[in-house]
Amino acid sequence: MHLLKCSLFIAILLNSAFHSLLVNSVQCRGTPTSILLTQRWAKTECKASNLIDNPACNLKKWTLHGLWPDNVKVIDPVPLPEGFFNTFENYKNIMRTEWTFLGKADQNTYITETTTFWKHEWTKHGYCAKDFIGSEDPKIYFQKALRLYRRANLLSILADNNVTPDDNATYKTYQIREAFIVIEPFVSPIVNCRKVGNKYYLSEIIICLKKNLEPVNCGTGDTNVCPEGAEFTYPRT
C-alpha cells in the first residue's frame, strides 16, 4: 500500500513537471494591443445547410465565440491539462447555452465537438491572453471570458436602439454602432456579416478591450466585416 501511494505521488509530480515544461515552451509571437470579445448570432451561422442538426441552432441569443488577443501567433501551444473539464463546474450547460459550437454536430455529438472547440480556443488564443487576464491558468481564462460575455448583453444593447431580430427588416452598420453609445466612453465595435445567396446577414459583433478589460475602439481589417453602406438582415429564424 505504501509503495502504491509513493508511485501515485511520483506520477502526479512527473505529470505536473511535464505540464510545466510544456507551458514554459509556449511562445506568444507579436504584441497585442487589445483583446477581442467575439459573439455570434446562431440564426445566421446556422443558415449553412450542414448545421441543421446542431442543437445550438435553436438558440435565439448571442453566444460567445471567443476571447482573442489581437496580433499574436502562438508557437508550441500547450494543450488543456488532462481532466480539465472535470474541474469546470456546469460546463456542459455552458456549452449548450453560452459558449457554443456552431459547426457540424447533432444531439449525440454536440458536447464532444464543443469540447474539441474549447480545446482549440485555448491552444490558439487562451495562453497568449495572459497579459490581459493576469494568469496562465486555463480555468481563469474560460471564467474571465464568460464573465465578460455575460456583462456585454448584446441582445439588450441592440434592442435598446430598436435593432431587433426580424426576418423582414434590414439594418446598416451605423445602426449597430449607434447602439454602443450607451457604453462610456463610446466605443466602436467590429460588425461582421455572412453572405448567403445575394443577402447579407448579421453574424458577429466584436468588442475590443484594453489591458484593464475596459472597452476601446476597434481597428478595421476583419475579413468578414459588413460592407460599408450595405443593408443586412438580423434574422429571427
Side-chain angles (χ1 to χ4, degrees):
M1 179 64 72
H2 179 71
L3 182 61
L4 180 62
K5 287 183 177 178
C6 287
S7 299
L8 183 60
F9 179 68
I10 291 170
I12 292 170
L13 283 178
L14 288 173
N15 184 61
S16 176
F18 180 66
H19 191 263
S20 295
L21 286 171
L22 285 175
V23 169
N24 290 335
S25 72
V26 181
Q27 297 179 46
C28 300
R29 188 167 294 171
T31 304
T33 56
S34 61
I35 194 164
L36 313 182
L37 179 67
T38 306
Q39 298 186 46
R40 40 185 186 178
W41 184 245
K43 291 301 180 183
T44 291
E45 297 299 307
C46 294
K47 289 192 176 295
S49 59
N50 65 331
L51 303 189
I52 191 169
D53 295 322
N54 187 323
C57 290
N58 295 320
L59 297 173
K60 295 181 179 180
K61 62 186 292 188
W62 289 89
T63 59
L64 184 58
H65 191 177
L67 184 66
W68 312 329
D70 67 351
N71 303 317
V72 171
K73 182 179 181 181
V74 62
I75 308 298
D76 295 328
V78 61
L80 285 174
E82 191 71 29
F84 169 78
F85 292 98
N86 294 330
T87 70
F88 205 92
E89 185 179 357
N90 206 27
Y91 77 91
K92 289 184 180 180
N93 188 54
I94 291 169
M95 287 178 171
R96 291 188 181 102
T97 61
E98 295 184 288
W99 201 332
T100 60
F101 171 67
L102 291 174
K104 188 174 181 179
D106 58 30
Q107 196 68 46
N108 296 322
T109 62
Y110 180 78
I111 293 298
T112 300
E113 295 294 342
T114 311
T115 299
T116 301
F117 169 58
W118 277 33
K119 289 177 180 178
H120 164 80
E121 289 299 297
W122 167 252
T123 56
K124 186 173 181 180
H125 306 289
Y127 179 82
C128 291
K130 59 184 179 178
D131 291 340
F132 292 87
I133 66 171
S135 176
E136 299 172 359
D137 185 334
K139 190 170 185 178
I140 291 176
Y141 166 74
F142 285 103
Q143 289 174 334
K144 183 76 75 173
L146 285 162
R147 279 198 294 270
L148 291 167
Y149 159 75
R150 291 164 183 163
R151 190 175 75 181
N153 186 338
L154 292 187
L155 200 64
S156 176
I157 290 171
L158 295 175
D160 287 346
N161 200 53
N162 298 316
V163 177
T164 58
D166 187 335
D167 294 328
N168 299 312
T170 57
Y171 302 97
K172 292 187 176 182
T173 298
Y174 79 88
Q175 293 170 278
I176 307 297
R177 292 183 179 144
E178 281 183 352
F180 286 81
I181 290 175
V182 298
I183 297 177
E184 295 291 343
F186 169 70
V187 295
S188 181
I190 294 171
V191 182
N192 285 343
C193 283
R194 180 179 292 277
K195 191 174 184 181
V196 180
N198 295 320
K199 292 182 65 175
Y200 287 102
Y201 294 87
L202 179 61
S203 62
E204 277 187 336
I205 293 179
I206 302 173
I207 300 173
C208 301
L209 308 169
K210 49 191 176 181
K211 285 200 173 178
N212 63 0
L213 297 180
E214 290 301 315
V216 65
N217 278 331
C218 291
T220 58
D222 195 276
T223 55
N224 297 313
V225 70
C226 301
E228 201 64 43
E231 294 186 335
F232 51 79
T233 301
Y234 179 14
R236 189 179 64 83
T237 59

